[in-house]
Amino acid sequence: MAKAKQNSLSEQDIDHLRAELAAGRPPVVWFTSAAVGVEAGRSAKVVAFSEPAEGDFIQVRPTGEKDDLSFSPAELTVEKPAPRKRAPAKPEPAAATAGAPAAGLAPVEHIYTPAPAPAPAPPKPKPAPAPAPPATAPDRRPAARKQAKPAEVTVTLTSTAEGEWTVDVQWGAKRTLKAAPVAASAVSQAAKLLPPEVDEAVESVLSAARERHLARVEQLRAELEAAQRALAELTG
């Protein structure tokens, strides 16, 4: 009997799996006959989704293994395969009793005079057996496995009008750092190790911030001097 074809993952199935994984409940899937390197019907747990969602972007860990592998929606299903039925054992035929008479019949005795045995014919030479073909060793090479693709990392630096800097880190589908403050001096040093266009853009922001802070310092210095003169007149 032909095995029923399992349905691959639909868009609704993928959304459901993402929601379960985000809730901290790694969902279980099964491999279809289109999966490469694993047996159809075997189970696995979904551990991550790669971005963008193209090709083999679903990372799973097969049951009983420690490695994470990547597969496409066509190679996975949420439908649990039916358990395999074992073929019933065939009964062994009862051994016939040599020389036993048929049921219900009495044995018949034959009285005869034996004839002289003929002279045996000379034995014919036996043909030499054909050489056996060389045994072929079975192919024990393991099936090729798909290694999980590393998640992409995106680092974003953001500046404010006051010259303050923050950094965001996006690791695959998860944001691991959001708007963390970074010293302007550290940004300047890092920019000098990157292409000139990056250093030029960062330096322009830092220069504008220096000018604004310098003007503010001059303004505060003038206000301080005016306040000191007024204080001197009041105490003079």
Side-chain angles (χ1 to χ4, degrees), residues 90-190:
K90 296 183 179 179
E92 297 182 358
T97 305
L105 297 178
V108 179
E109 295 182 358
H110 297 277
I111 301 174
Y112 63 93
T113 303
K124 295 182 179 180
K126 295 182 179 180
T136 303
D139 189 358
R140 299 180 181 273
R141 292 177 296 177
R145 291 184 177 181
K146 297 182 179 180
Q147 296 297 327
K149 296 180 180 178
E152 295 182 354
V153 178
T154 303
V155 179
T156 305
L157 288 171
T158 306
S159 65
T160 64
E162 291 74 19
E164 298 177 350
W165 291 82
T166 58
V167 62
D168 294 80
V169 178
Q170 183 82 16
W171 190 354
K174 184 178 181 181
R175 176 171 289 185
T176 58
L177 195 62
K178 181 178 180 181
V182 182
S185 58
V187 176
S188 177
Q189 293 177 3

Side-chain angles (χ1 to χ4, degrees), residues 5-231:
K5 184 177 180 181
Q6 295 175 297
N7 295 326
S8 57
L9 295 179
S10 63
E11 292 293 336
Q12 292 80 5
D13 295 335
I14 295 175
D15 293 340
H16 175 71
L17 295 177
R18 287 181 182 271
E20 288 293 305
L21 188 61
R25 300 186 295 270
V28 179
V29 293
W30 288 266
F31 295 105
T32 66
S33 57
V36 178
V38 293
E39 180 183 1
R42 188 176 179 185
S43 62
K45 284 188 178 181
V46 179
V47 297
F49 288 88
S50 300
E51 297 295 342
E54 297 177 358
D56 302 337
F57 67 93
I58 305 175
Q59 300 180 21
V60 302
R61 182 175 300 164
T63 302
E65 297 191 13
K66 298 181 179 179
D67 296 334
D68 297 342
L69 310 177
S70 294
F71 291 89
S72 65
E75 298 174 287
L76 302 172
T77 181
V78 294
E79 297 181 2
K80 183 177 181 179
R84 299 180 179 178
K85 296 183 179 180
R86 296 184 177 180
K90 296 183 179 179
E92 297 182 358
T97 305
L105 297 178
V108 179
E109 295 182 358
H110 297 277
I111 301 174
Y112 63 93
T113 303
K124 295 182 179 180
K126 295 182 179 180
T136 303
D139 189 358
R140 299 180 181 273
R141 292 177 296 177
R145 291 184 177 181
K146 297 182 179 180
Q147 296 297 327
K149 296 180 180 178
E152 295 182 354
V153 178
T154 303
V155 179
T156 305
L157 288 171
T158 306
S159 65
T160 64
E162 291 74 19
E164 298 177 350
W165 291 82
T166 58
V167 62
D168 294 80
V169 178
Q170 183 82 16
W171 190 354
K174 184 178 181 181
R175 176 171 289 185
T176 58
L177 195 62
K178 181 178 180 181
V182 182
S185 58
V187 176
S188 177
Q189 293 177 3
K192 295 184 184 304
L193 302 176
L194 298 175
E197 293 79 3
V198 178
D199 186 24
E200 182 179 356
V202 171
E203 188 60 32
S204 64
V205 175
L206 296 176
S207 297
R210 292 191 196 97
E211 293 179 0
R212 285 192 297 271
H213 286 294
L214 181 59
R216 178 60 176 164
V217 169
E218 294 296 334
Q219 179 182 356
L220 293 175
R221 183 178 291 114
E223 293 177 359
L224 177 60
E225 292 177 354
Q228 289 177 341
R229 287 195 301 270
L231 179 61

